[in-house]
Amino acid sequence: MAFSYLKTHLQARREDTLLRERHLISHASAREITIAGKHYLNFASNDYLGFAEQPVDSLSSQPLGSHSSPLVTGYKQSQHQLERYLCEQLGFESGLLFNSGFSANSSVLKALFQDKATAQKSAIFQDKLNHASLIDGALHSQAAMIRFNHNDMRHLKSHLEKSPAINKLIISEGVFSMDGDQAPIESLSAIAKEFNAWLMIDDAHGFGVLGENGLGSCDFIKPELLVITFGKAVASSGACLLASKEVIDYLLQFNRDYIYSTGMSPLLAELTLTRLQQITAEQGAQKRKQLADNIDYFKLLATKHNIAVMPSNTAIQPIVLGCAEHTLEVANTLKKAGIWLTAIRPPTVAFNTSRLRITLTAAHTKADIEHLIAELVIAL
């Protein structure tokens, strides 16, 4: 029978406790979530600063739709202003808005290495824990892809030393989404310069949270390509690639995702700019301070109760349990106790590294964290 493999693959996922399902959410904030009429403390949100529930003050007259591709009639003033603000804040010549971080990451790599004539002279060097969007983009490009061990600079250098490529691009995340640890940006930048390579950083989980003014992992060191995602701490949607004018001009010619997609909503662009201005102002600083205090308090209690959390100083605090079935059982036990946590299982993470991915936000209280720890002690 045609397409009979669909049922076979779904059944295999079900038997391996790896089947993904959606949950219909009636209300969600950085601190709480309501699903099927039941209320939970939310420790699975990427709204790290708790901005999502805060209304954006605006008397905007911007239209909701941009009508067409940015290269037709879809590039509006609010989109331009958002790009320029990020360029000015982070010290880049030019920017390009995308409707999602996944699209930004994957399409940029496909476009940069779209020329088959230079394929044999090009190589992409990726941290093994990079996001799926980066891996997919490299796989669909014309360049060779080489993966180095997570945050292992010696392993990266050994690959670079052996590579005959002329066009070399090193890619890492600023904060790794499933481990919560940070990339050694300074070392990556130095290695890139040593080997005449470019550096690309996806700072989805660092921007808004890290840096003196919330400018993220690349506050002082500027990679050749920086992707800022708005769906996490900015509590909006979409992304922006920051780079040189030459790179952006090149992508305007060859980035198919950008050329053939309707541009970002002008209304969303304006509201996102307002949110960015809040993040880099005093309000954002206060929220970052609260988040930092919550992270410290969680780690203190976890250590006190011998809960083995992965080494991380960010809002992402994973507990690796290994077995997918056991991880799901623990997550379900916590849900019965009113705590919403995601059981992260393969293929999102490697086999035998299934984990509870705890995300802390500025909206959580000390009592929330104490309740989480108490229930973890019981569930684990």
Side-chain angles (χ1 to χ4, degrees):
M1 182 188 299
F3 298 101
S4 60
Y5 66 88
L6 299 181
K7 184 178 293 185
T8 302
H9 287 185
L10 284 171
Q11 184 58 29
R13 280 289 175 92
R14 190 174 288 107
E15 290 173 357
D16 291 337
T17 326
L18 301 178
L19 190 69
R20 295 185 174 112
E21 296 179 281
R22 295 186 296 179
H23 300 278
L24 187 58
I25 298 164
S26 55
H27 170 76
S29 68
R31 180 174 175 262
E32 297 174 310
I33 190 168
T34 304
I35 299 172
K38 185 171 181 179
H39 304 288
Y40 303 87
L41 279 176
N42 186 3
F43 285 98
S45 172
N46 290 332
D47 178 19
Y48 302 126
L49 299 180
F51 267 122
E53 288 297 288
Q54 181 175 316
V56 179
D57 295 328
S58 175
L59 297 175
S60 175
S61 59
Q62 291 288 342
L64 177 61
S66 59
H67 307 299
S68 63
S69 161
L71 294 174
V72 183
T73 63
Y75 188 53
K76 304 295 195 299
Q77 186 67 23
S78 61
Q79 298 157 341
H80 175 71
Q81 289 173 342
L82 176 54
E83 290 174 350
R84 293 315 309 160
Y85 181 81
L86 284 167
C87 287
E88 291 163 5
Q89 292 293 311
L90 284 152
F92 285 84
E93 285 184 342
S94 195
L96 205 61
L97 292 176
F98 290 85
N99 287 315
S100 76
F102 197 108
S103 175
N105 281 338
S106 62
S107 68
V108 164
L109 296 182
K110 289 184 288 185
L112 274 180
F113 300 103
Q114 53 82 31
D115 184 4
K116 292 183 180 180
T118 59
Q120 293 182 335
K121 304 175 185 177
S122 305
I124 299 170
F125 301 83
Q126 297 232 37
D127 189 293
K128 282 192 174 180
L129 295 189
N130 275 355
H131 192 265
S133 57
L134 294 167
I135 303 301
D136 282 10
L139 288 173
H140 289 91
S141 77
Q142 298 296 326
M145 182 169 71
I146 299 160
R147 300 176 75 177
F148 60 92
N149 294 336
H150 178 51
N151 278 348
D152 188 336
M153 298 300 98
R154 292 181 63 182
H155 195 218
L156 169 60
K157 288 184 72 171
S158 71
H159 281 308
L160 287 164
E161 288 166 351
K162 298 171 187 174
S163 174
I166 296 173
N167 311 301
K168 297 183 283 286
L169 178 64
I170 302 167
I171 309 177
S172 180
E173 296 185 43
V175 174
F176 288 88
S177 59
M178 291 300 125
D179 285 35
D181 57 344
Q182 297 169 244
I185 304 290
E186 188 172 349
S187 296
L188 286 166
S189 179
I191 290 171
K193 287 181 173 62
E194 179 182 351
F195 289 92
N196 193 30
W198 280 10
L199 177 62
M200 176 177 177
I201 299 294
D202 169 14
D203 206 25
H205 296 273
F207 183 79
V209 177
L210 303 179
E212 185 177 351
N213 296 307
L215 295 179
S217 305
C218 301
D219 200 348
F220 299 106
I221 295 174
K222 305 305 174 191
E224 281 71 21
L225 297 99
L226 174 62
V227 176
I228 299 299
T229 301
F230 305 139
K232 277 68 177 179
V234 183
S236 181
S237 180
C240 188
L241 170 73
L242 300 174
S244 69
K245 185 178 185 302
E246 183 178 53
V247 168
I248 298 304
D249 285 347
Y250 182 87
L251 294 175
L252 287 174
Q253 319 309 314
F254 298 107
N255 189 308
R256 292 169 64 83
D257 286 44
Y258 187 83
I259 295 167
Y260 299 112
S261 292
T262 299
M264 176 184 284
S265 159
L267 176 60
L268 180 62
E270 181 180 76
L271 297 179
T272 299
L273 176 56
T274 301
R275 181 71 80 216
L276 286 172
Q277 292 166 339
Q278 292 173 336
I279 282 176
T280 55
E282 180 60 28
Q283 186 178 9
Q286 292 172 356
K287 287 179 176 290
R288 283 189 292 279
K289 171 69 165 57
Q290 182 60 50
L291 174 60
D293 289 346
N294 284 346
I295 293 168
D296 289 342
Y297 192 55
F298 171 82
K299 292 178 67 175
L300 176 68
L301 293 185
T303 301
K304 180 179 178 181
H305 292 278
N306 296 315
I307 297 173
V309 181
M310 291 184 70
S312 166
N313 293 317
T314 70
I316 302 166
Q317 296 287 319
I319 300 174
V320 176
L321 300 180
C323 171
E325 185 175 4
H326 176 53
T327 304
L328 190 60
E329 287 174 355
V330 173
N332 287 334
T333 298
L334 290 169
K335 285 169 185 172
K336 291 176 182 176
I339 292 173
W340 190 266
L341 267 183
T342 306
I344 304 295
R345 296 158 289 160
T348 303
V349 293
F351 281 93
N352 298 319
T353 68
S354 292
R355 66 200 60 187
L356 300 174
R357 181 181 181 270
I358 297 167
T359 52
L360 301 166
T361 75
H364 289 121
T365 66
K366 283 192 172 183
D368 295 339
I369 296 169
E370 289 164 2
H371 180 53
L372 169 63
I373 290 291
E375 295 302 333
L376 281 170
V377 170
I378 296 170
L380 294 172

